[in-house]
Amino acid sequence: EIERVKNHYYKVIKSKIKFDYFEFEFISKTGKSFWLGQNVTFKYIGKKVIETIAIARDITEIKYAKIELENSEEKYRTTIENLKFRIMEVDLNENITKVYSGMESLTGYNKIELLNKKPFDILLTKESKEIMAIQNSERHKGESGVYEVQIQKKSGEIIWVLISGTPLFDANNRVIGSIGIHVDITEQKRIESELRIAIQKLEILSKSKDYILANISHYIRNPLNIISGLSVLLSKTKLDNNQKLKLNQINNSTSTLNDLVNDILDYEKIKNQKINLNYKIINIREFLLELSESYKILIEEKGLKFKFQIDENINFEYLLDTTRLKQIIT
């Protein structure tokens, strides 16, 4: 410590400095260690010092507090560096004042290339500058914010980053700049874009499906109408009982197919919540008998037995939508 003090004052006198402040450690008579902060005034004649006035004060507590603060700051800085946080600080003129190592890996630039540069000039894409300008204005007002921007790496690659920005304050609570934590969200953006495209494709596919269903129902309805018309004409001719039964089955089957076509068309109505119920008074016994007769041939062809029974206590007439009722029972 003696040599350090000697060398310091040797350089001061050699440079003919008139006023100087210097801190050094010394040992008292009792052997206790102290720190002094010493102001010295030098008077010269030519190159020779003819008088010195020194005022020294005990700064031990201040010095140790400063050392402790520096150690804490170093620990904080080291922790941040080790965690690879992508952090950058800028002043009120938007000049980069501090860069943590994570920003180097994110941008491809080293600290020297980033310091004292403006993100507007070196990192931001044209599309992101407007967003950043708005956010910087908020930081100057003391407001924090989270936002997404595109940046261009040193290699020219464009990436997306999520920035959490907050203002920096001095001891008087005045805004002196801002600090931002950067997270690379390029992969999330890619997935989001692919998902959006997939949804658009599904929407197109859904519209195509609806178009196809509408056309199918249209082309089925035409031959059904012809069959129904022929059945009406045939019913006006002389028919035996067996022929009448077969014709009735044809009519029931035609009616079922027609209901199926309506179901296809109703699908679009249900999707758009525009389905309507068509009520009318029906005899439930007659309705069920006709429905069972229309399936009788199919049942017999499969070798199955079919039994129809309705409770005598049930009322015969109901106000119902026969198409929906037929769907449920079938």
Side-chain angles (χ1 to χ4, degrees):
E1 187 70 358
I2 292 174
E3 291 301 318
R4 188 174 75 89
V5 174
K6 282 182 178 180
N7 290 333
H8 172 76
Y9 284 118
Y10 173 78
K11 292 176 182 177
V12 168
I13 294 170
K14 187 177 180 180
S15 302
K16 296 188 70 174
I17 295 172
K18 292 182 179 181
F19 305 100
D20 177 65
Y21 175 78
F22 188 56
E23 296 177 357
F24 57 92
E25 190 177 14
F26 76 105
I27 307 297
S28 70
K29 185 177 180 180
T30 60
K32 190 175 181 180
S33 175
F34 286 90
W35 276 90
L36 286 182
Q38 184 168 263
N39 289 288
V40 181
T41 302
F42 298 89
K43 288 186 178 182
Y44 297 88
I45 293 180
K47 294 182 179 180
K48 188 178 180 181
V49 177
I50 63 167
E51 184 181 52
T52 60
I53 300 173
I55 300 174
R57 65 189 181 103
D58 185 350
I59 61 165
T60 306
E61 290 186 8
I62 297 174
K63 187 67 176 179
Y64 286 155
K66 183 179 178 182
I67 291 171
E68 187 176 345
L69 179 61
E70 289 175 350
N71 289 338
S72 297
E73 288 179 347
E74 179 62 23
K75 286 180 182 178
Y76 169 76
R77 186 192 63 78
T78 303
T79 301
I80 294 296
E81 293 285 359
N82 290 338
L83 288 174
K84 302 299 182 185
F85 281 174
R86 290 148 177 187
I87 300 176
M88 189 167 67
E89 297 179 15
V90 298
D91 60 21
L92 291 177
N93 295 319
E94 313 307 333
N95 293 313
I96 300 170
T97 57
K98 194 167 186 179
V99 178
Y100 291 83
S101 60
M103 286 300 296
E104 295 179 323
S105 61
L106 180 71
T107 65
Y109 292 99
N110 61 44
K111 291 181 181 179
I112 303 301
E113 292 173 314
L114 291 172
L115 284 173
N116 299 316
K117 302 291 194 313
K118 295 181 187 293
F120 272 80
D121 299 333
I122 194 170
L123 293 175
L124 293 179
T125 62
K126 183 179 179 181
E127 294 78 8
S128 297
K129 288 182 178 180
E130 184 177 346
I131 298 173
M132 184 63 80
I134 295 171
Q135 291 298 324
N136 286 340
S137 176
E138 293 298 309
R139 297 304 85 75
H140 291 179
K141 295 175 185 176
E143 301 292 334
S144 299
V146 178
Y147 52 99
E148 298 175 0
V149 294
Q150 283 183 312
I151 67 171
Q152 184 170 341
K153 300 175 68 171
K154 186 178 181 179
S155 63
E157 179 188 358
I158 303 295
I159 62 172
W160 277 95
V161 293
L162 176 71
I163 302 176
S164 177
T166 190
L168 287 173
F169 299 92
D170 63 11
N172 297 314
N173 205 34
R174 292 176 300 191
V175 178
I176 58 173
S178 63
I179 181 170
I181 300 176
H182 302 66
V183 180
D184 187 346
I185 58 169
T186 306
E187 181 63 14
Q188 290 91 321
K189 279 289 186 179
R190 182 189 65 79
I191 294 171
E192 182 182 308
S193 176
E194 290 179 355
L195 183 60
R196 192 181 300 111
I197 293 171
I199 291 172
Q200 290 173 350
K201 288 182 178 179
L202 282 174
E203 289 174 349
I204 293 171
L205 185 62
S206 178
K207 289 179 181 178
S208 299
K209 177 196 65 180
D210 295 341
Y211 176 77
I212 292 169
L213 287 175
N215 275 278
I216 288 174
S217 63
H218 172 73
Y219 289 120
I220 293 175
R221 192 185 294 277
N222 287 339
L224 276 177
N225 289 335
I226 294 172
I227 294 172
S228 297
L230 291 174
S231 297
V232 171
L233 293 174
L234 191 59
S235 65
K236 294 178 180 180
T237 61
K238 290 184 179 180
L239 301 172
D240 58 32
N241 290 334
N242 186 48
Q243 288 173 329
K244 288 180 180 178
L245 177 63
K246 298 297 183 185
L247 182 61
N248 186 54
Q249 291 172 344
I250 290 173
N251 288 332
N252 287 334
S253 296
T254 304
S255 176
T256 300
L257 279 172
N258 194 58
D259 290 341
L260 177 61
V261 172
N262 289 332
D263 290 345
I264 293 172
L265 294 176
D266 283 346
Y267 166 78
E268 187 67 23
K269 293 179 182 178
I270 293 170
K271 190 173 69 173
N272 295 320
Q273 299 183 1
K274 292 181 178 178
I275 190 72
N276 294 316
L277 296 177
N278 298 312
Y279 293 103
K280 65 180 179 179
I281 296 175
I282 64 165
N283 184 302
I284 192 71
R285 177 178 289 277
E286 292 178 0
F287 172 82
L288 292 173
L289 280 171
E290 289 178 3
L291 186 60
S292 62
E293 284 295 324
S294 66
Y295 285 100
K296 204 167 186 178
I297 295 176
L298 295 174
I299 293 168
E300 291 174 351
E301 285 179 352
K302 291 185 177 183
L304 300 173
K305 292 182 179 180
F306 176 75
K307 183 178 180 181
F308 170 75
Q309 183 177 356
I310 186 167
D311 195 310
E312 294 292 337
N313 295 320
I314 292 178
N315 295 326
F316 289 154
E317 291 189 341
Y318 289 90
L319 186 65
L320 295 166
D321 183 321
T322 55
T323 300
R324 309 302 162 203
L325 182 60
K326 187 180 292 184
Q327 290 172 341
I328 294 167
I329 295 173
T330 300

